[in-house]
Amino acid sequence: MTIKNITVLGSGIMGHGIAQVSAMAGYKVFLRDIEQVFLDKAMEKIKWSLQKLTEKNKITSENAVTIYNNITPVIDLKKATENTDLIIEAVPEDFKLKEKVYGELNEIVKNEVIFASNTSTLPITELSKLTNHPENFIGVHFFNPPQLMKLVEVIPGKDTDKQVVDELTRFVHSIDKNPVICKKDVSGFIVNRIFIPLVHEALHSMDRDKVSMDVIDSAVKFKLNFPMGIFELADYTGLDVIYKASYEMSLRDKHVLLMHPRIKELYEGNQLGQKTGKGFYEYKKENYERVNLTEEKAAQYEPLSIVGVAANNAAWLVENEVCTLEDLNLALSLGMGLKTGIFDLVRKLSPSRVLENLKSLGEQQEFYHPNKYIENFK
Ligand code: CAA
């Protein structure tokens, strides 16, 4: 089959971006949400983003108009899906909600349509069973902001047809993104298995080491060369996404992260980060804002446990053949903008210090026990 028409379900941060990048590649896109106000906000964000890309000469202003017109915002699910070849579901990370959405789709969608979920953490095989055709179901995980991040994780479920994997991989290339196949349907897939636990670790380190958020973030940015600090990135991603991802990941795998209660507090207090004007930091505008991080602040902190926790989870992914080390580093570079491979970060800080730190933390909490790969790391 050839994909021409796409339906994106959910017009939030990820949904509107996925609709935009698909329209930029020439696809006709129906962007569906349940209320007009959500769609209006999404189309405003698309307009803002296209304007930014025009200012930077990435597209012409004529292109911007064509792209914008390739996206039809719609509430009616039947209309949104009647001629579709591919449905990308990007509704909030709630299994019950997804169950409801797939239930509705089962009633109205043609048999051969591919269902792709942009879930960041829910198991693809479990989601596929909510549909009439698990063989046509696949995970297709974009990164925020989809307009700028080049990675898409492609996650086949247990029953996904090989042709669907190939078709989706072609689609990802066609929208000018790099697919990385996540070979096992594990909690957090590849990138979130590294990123989400780091948000919790940054909080634990703040408590333990008595340093401020912006000091930790500055060290992460200037010593580890991350494009954003961890707290800054969490705010940018949204504390609702971080909380739900943390919850789902630890529900299925007790060892993947060490939960810190502050995430739940922020979520329950509707302090969701940039989108609500307050999360870990405070923000003045909604579209895109950066935190002031400096090299002077970076000098006050050694991010040993940040690197240790990331390296432990990275070793787990490679050891369990979820991906190769090469794919892991590619995914982290294209999905989180990391300039240095995870184990090169260990080398940069000193393998023996990272190991000693994990061992000493491991005396209190089993979570930190170094993976045997780290134990033998030179
Ligand atoms: N469309 C178009 N332009 C955009 C944009 C968008 N959606 N968002 C931001 N921009 C613009 C900004 O406005 C800014 O423009 P100006 O130069 O005119 O100010 C420009 O892009 C970015 O410039 P910066 O110098 O601020 O930023 P940068 O060089 O650091 O790049 C970035 C920005 C690509 C976001 C980079 O900081 C980065 O890679 N950050 C990490 C993002 C990340 O890790 N994402 C993954 C999160 S995890 C996830 O998404 C998965 C999940 O399931 C939770």
Side-chain angles (χ1 to χ4, degrees):
M1 94 178 273
T2 313
I3 296 171
K4 288 202 195 92
N5 301 321
I6 295 177
T7 306
V8 179
L9 301 179
S11 68
I13 290 185
M14 300 310 289
H16 89 267
I18 297 169
Q20 181 184 328
V21 294
S22 304
M24 287 173 73
Y27 293 102
K28 294 273 178 231
V29 183
F30 278 90
L31 177 60
R32 193 262 176 173
D33 215 318
I34 51 171
E35 284 184 35
Q36 193 58 41
V37 298
F38 298 148
L39 290 169
D40 291 345
K41 202 167 169 188
M43 293 309 283
E44 267 312 306
K45 281 183 181 284
I46 291 172
K47 199 180 271 174
W48 174 85
S49 172
L50 291 171
Q51 175 63 30
K52 277 274 162 200
L53 298 175
T54 310
E55 278 166 23
K56 296 187 163 87
N57 294 324
K58 300 261 167 61
I59 54 172
T60 64
S61 36
E62 291 78 39
N63 286 152
V65 173
T66 313
I67 294 162
Y68 189 83
N69 290 335
N70 271 348
I71 306 170
T72 309
V74 62
I75 292 178
D76 184 341
L77 187 62
K78 205 158 182 205
K79 185 166 169 229
T81 53
E82 61 198 354
N83 286 316
T84 198
D85 305 305
L86 167 65
I87 297 176
I88 302 179
E89 170 271 303
V91 307
E93 283 294 83
D94 176 333
F95 195 84
K96 287 264 170 256
L97 175 63
K98 298 206 191 236
E99 186 171 28
K100 179 171 172 282
V101 171
Y102 289 128
E104 286 166 9
L105 292 172
N106 284 337
E107 303 291 315
I108 53 176
V109 173
K110 289 179 293 188
N111 286 344
E112 61 278 15
V113 172
I114 297 178
F115 282 27
S117 177
N118 177 58
T119 179
S120 41
T121 40
L122 293 169
I124 299 304
T125 305
E126 269 183 52
L127 288 176
S128 77
K129 292 193 195 311
L130 302 174
T131 70
N132 291 341
H133 293 279
E135 71 282 7
N136 287 345
F137 194 94
I138 191 158
V140 61
H141 184 216
F142 288 76
F143 289 80
N144 184 31
Q147 294 93 337
L148 303 185
M149 306 312 285
K150 286 284 180 192
L151 176 70
V152 177
E153 291 175 340
V154 174
I155 313 109
K158 205 159 80 48
D159 303 309
T160 311
D161 198 299
K162 168 86 174 61
Q163 274 187 348
V164 171
V165 181
D166 294 345
E167 192 64 55
L168 234 291
T169 307
R170 270 196 296 278
F171 165 73
V172 172
H173 282 297
S174 78
I175 57 169
D176 196 25
K177 303 284 174 201
N178 281 65
V180 166
I181 305 271
C182 180
K183 289 192 238 155
K184 291 188 183 160
D185 186 7
V186 297
S187 188
F189 312 133
I190 301 173
V191 171
N192 276 345
R193 197 162 182 110
I194 307 291
F195 166 47
I196 304 290
L198 290 191
V199 184
H200 295 268
E201 181 48 31
L203 282 162
H204 288 299
S205 175
M206 202 162 96
D207 295 346
R208 252 189 342 253
D209 303 319
K210 310 279 178 269
V211 281
S212 62
M213 280 181 317
D214 52 340
V215 163
I216 294 183
D217 271 0
S218 294
V220 165
K221 180 165 175 177
F222 291 102
K223 292 189 170 170
L224 305 182
N225 281 327
F226 282 37
M228 290 177 168
I230 304 278
F231 296 110
E232 182 186 25
L233 180 55
D235 274 357
Y236 182 58
T237 306
L239 268 304
D240 47 346
V241 175
I242 304 288
Y243 170 68
K244 285 177 185 163
S246 305
Y247 174 79
E248 294 294 344
M249 283 169 72
S250 48
L251 192 69
R252 291 175 174 85
D253 186 339
K254 293 278 166 275
H255 304 289
V256 64
L257 57 84
L258 187 61
M259 194 72 87
H260 192 289
R262 184 85 185 116
I263 303 285
K264 189 169 185 218
E265 278 166 26
L266 289 172
Y267 170 68
E268 288 177 346
N270 199 39
Q271 295 184 12
L272 305 183
Q274 203 157 317
K275 63 178 133 185
T276 56
K278 193 169 183 339
F280 288 113
Y281 300 100
E282 290 193 16
Y283 301 87
K284 288 183 228 58
K285 50 185 191 194
E286 220 194 282
N287 271 335
Y288 184 76
E289 198 177 323
R290 302 298 296 269
V291 176
N292 182 25
L293 305 174
T294 66
E295 295 204 51
E296 291 68 37
K297 291 180 199 164
Q300 299 169 34
Y301 175 71
E302 272 297 84
L304 285 174
S305 71
I306 304 274
V307 169
V309 167
N312 252 352
N313 274 332
W316 186 93
L317 283 166
V318 176
E319 168 181 78
N320 285 283
E321 298 181 353
V322 176
C323 58
T324 60
L325 179 54
E326 205 180 21
D327 275 354
L328 172 70
N329 282 330
L330 179 69
L332 291 172
S333 141
L334 301 177
M336 280 181 78
L338 301 206
K339 296 181 193 73
T340 315
I342 282 290
F343 297 115
D344 288 332
L345 289 176
V346 176
R347 283 189 190 95
K348 195 170 170 198
L349 291 192
S350 144
S352 57
R353 289 179 64 218
V354 172
L355 178 63
E356 282 317 309
N357 183 259
L358 281 176
K359 278 188 175 162
S360 122
L361 294 171
E363 283 166 17
Q364 310 294 323
Q365 287 277 1
E366 205 200 322
F367 169 75
Y368 292 100
H369 279 182
N371 178 291
K372 61 180 179 309
Y373 182 78
I374 315 283
E375 293 260 22
N376 300 323
F377 196 75
K378 299 273 180 301

